[in-house]
Amino acid sequence: MTTRVRFAPSPTGYLHIGSARTALFNYLFAKHVGGKFLLRIEDTDIERSTDESTRSILEGLQWLELQHDEEIVYQSNNAPKHRAVALKLLNEGKAYRDFTPREERSGADVKAAIQERAREQKDMRDNPFRDLPKEESDRKADAGEPFAIRLKVGASGKTIFDDAVYGFQERDYSEIEDLVLLRSDGHPLYNLAVVCDDIEMRITHVIRGQDHLTNTHKQVLIYEALNAEKPTFAHLPLILAPNKGKLSKRKHGEVVSMTTYRDNGFVAAAFRNFLVLLGWSAGEEKEIYTMDELVSKFSLDHIHKNNAVFNFDANDPRHWTDDKALWMNAEYIRTMPLEDLIPLVKAELKSAKLWRDEYEDDDKIHFEKTVDLIRERFFTLKDFSSQGRAFFSEDFDFDEAAIAKNLKKFSELQTWLPELAETLETVEDFTHDTLETVIKQFAEEKGGKFGVIMNGARTLLTGLAVGPSMLAVFETLGKEKTIRRLKSQIAWSQ
Ligand code: GLU
């Protein structure tokens, strides 16, 4: 039997990190066994579902390169089928009509009633309509009395299933209320819809967050009532906020949204690699994996049982997201094949209006060399247009601290650096080794330190205090720019 899994987000907001991780695990599991990864948009909550959320979820999946198989299933299209199943269960006596007026049944009251019953250790089966004779129930329905349809949970027994991550699970029927399948307005409820769709889509493995465990017990009851074969369930550890609380869109905002990472210069492959390690490891030191490696290594038995923590500090811009995500991104930027990085840098430079067509044409080799040089210290793609700006534009800023530390502290540099520019004008072979000899000699003549001169030059040439090897910077910027910037007094007047 072909393995078929699904990712089933509710389009009530952007793609959340936790959902993206669920999608990724489903994808990797399916691809590992040569199965199918399906996508189902659970848009049955009419008030909260939006097309914009659906779009943002699709964009997030596309960014992470989690291409789904087959057509997308929109759950709301299946509502007639869900209703039919509820009616079938009603006809078979496995569900019943609950004529309790809507107000009494509504959310808070039901919850309070359940808690009350649990407190009193009374059983959950005391709904007065549960055992209403069929004729009586039919008569009321025919007379137009509104009703919800509830599943008739057995008086005694247990739901059991073997979770692929958490092992054997059981729950006493007495802990499960007669769940509503269909609301009195005909709206099918979540657990019914999920089970019907999973059966119809021939889902073999349901892989989702462990916050769904309670639902799974209810869903097991529905599968049993339908005499349908249950899929294998695999629940995933949660991804928690730094305070070990729930990581939520509402509380934590943008930091949990996938689009934030796309828009803040993350390499999709790096973020995917970061995500996969939130709750899974191959059991080895290695942490950097290509998609192909992940597909070949991924298995449910290496999923952790302990919840993962997503560490960040909303009050510290340097730690706005998990350090490991930033580290991973820097690793990718530094080591990924240059030909894969170039299009990403191009997109970044384009959006910062720093892109020039020559970079793909006459200046291609030089452009690639520049990218290769500066990527060494970068954490995000944004750094190419911010810290790397001086390599692509004459209009760059000077860092105040760099001016103080590398220039103004050594006032002699104000005349030395323009003099160095004059010396460099005579250099024909503007490459690393020659430049090193010439500048060392210049430093000696001045009785100054080579390092001080280089640091000063760095700030004049790039606006910054740190960066790649300075001789490589001279060589990459080239003779003309180097000389012009060494002579410029702009930084000195700031
Ligand atoms: N729509 C549910 C959610 O977004 C997931 C349902 C499922 O995976 O069964 O949490």
Side-chain angles (χ1 to χ4, degrees), residues 6 8-10 40 42 190 194 198 206-208 212 219:
R6 83 307 192 263
S10 305
R40 180 170 77 226
E42 303 210 316
Y190 168 71
V194 166
D198 283 341
V206 169
I207 305 171
R208 60 185 170 202
H212 281 287
Q219 292 174 17

Side-chain angles (χ1 to χ4, degrees), residues 256-461:
V256 301
S257 162
M258 214 38 45
T259 40
T260 300
Y261 295 89
R262 184 199 58 192
D263 299 344
N264 280 284
F266 273 74
V267 175
F271 201 75
R272 198 168 58 210
N273 198 151
F274 164 72
L275 272 184
V276 83
L277 300 175
L278 288 173
W280 174 86
S281 54
E284 58 188 3
E285 286 282 299
K286 180 177 154 85
E287 289 196 302
I288 307 264
Y289 297 100
T290 62
M291 186 70 135
D292 286 346
E293 285 171 327
L294 288 176
V295 166
S296 84
K297 289 199 180 239
F298 190 82
S299 71
L300 297 180
D301 48 357
H302 275 100
I303 292 176
H304 305 162
K305 290 194 180 61
N306 291 338
N307 291 331
V309 178
F310 183 62
N311 268 311
F312 60 95
D313 182 350
N315 300 316
D316 181 351
R318 279 172 313 150
H319 300 289
W320 68 272
T321 187
D322 198 304
D323 281 352
K324 181 141 183 191
L326 284 165
W327 169 81
M328 187 70 85
N329 207 44
E331 271 306 290
Y332 269 76
I333 289 179
R334 200 168 61 77
T335 60
M336 68 197 284
L338 197 57
E339 73 253 33
D340 294 342
L341 179 63
I342 294 290
L344 305 178
V345 176
K346 175 179 175 182
E348 173 54 30
L349 295 183
K350 272 197 156 172
S351 83
K353 306 215 166 23
L354 293 174
W355 174 255
R356 297 212 205 117
D357 287 340
E358 307 89 276
Y359 294 159
E360 248 167 9
D361 195 351
D362 291 352
D363 204 24
K364 188 169 188 295
I365 294 174
H366 175 245
F367 174 71
E368 291 182 358
K369 217 175 125 192
T370 306
V371 170
D372 200 21
L373 173 71
I374 62 181
R375 68 169 163 167
E376 197 67 24
R377 305 174 72 98
F378 287 172
F379 281 85
T380 75
L381 297 168
K382 292 270 158 220
D383 293 340
F384 285 93
S385 63
S386 54
Q387 295 180 50
R389 194 175 171 94
F391 289 89
F392 307 110
S393 167
E394 288 305 308
D395 173 24
F396 59 91
D397 291 332
F398 292 91
D399 174 53
E400 249 178 67
I403 293 181
K405 182 169 143 245
N406 287 350
L407 294 175
K408 297 208 168 153
K409 196 168 152 201
F410 306 99
S411 56
E412 61 277 22
L413 290 178
Q414 190 164 6
T415 49
W416 286 5
L417 291 172
E419 279 177 50
L420 174 63
E422 273 163 33
T423 308
L424 294 180
E425 269 167 14
T426 64
V427 176
E428 289 298 321
D429 172 31
F430 211 76
T431 57
H432 188 285
D433 293 353
T434 315
L435 289 167
E436 185 170 23
T437 317
V438 173
I439 300 169
K440 277 204 166 133
Q441 199 186 333
F442 177 86
E444 248 165 59
E445 279 166 18
K446 293 287 170 196
K449 282 207 182 94
F450 178 73
V452 168
I453 291 173
M454 290 304 243
N455 287 341
R458 179 187 301 290
T459 300
L460 283 187
L461 263 52

Side-chain angles (χ1 to χ4, degrees), residues 238-257:
L238 301 180
I239 301 175
L240 303 177
N243 68 359
K244 311 278 186 322
K246 194 170 178 250
L247 188 63
S248 78
K249 302 177 193 176
R250 196 175 45 76
K251 264 207 221 124
H252 303 102
E254 299 294 300
V255 70
V256 301
S257 162

Side-chain angles (χ1 to χ4, degrees), residues 1 13 58 108 126 130-131 136 160 201 203 249 266 296-297 337 361 396 456 460 466:
M1 193 169 54
L58 297 179
D126 61 357
R130 183 178 152 101
D131 295 313
E136 174 85 19
I160 54 169
M201 292 164 77
I203 298 302
K249 302 177 193 176
F266 273 74
S296 84
K297 289 199 180 239
D361 195 351
F396 59 91
L460 283 187
V466 289

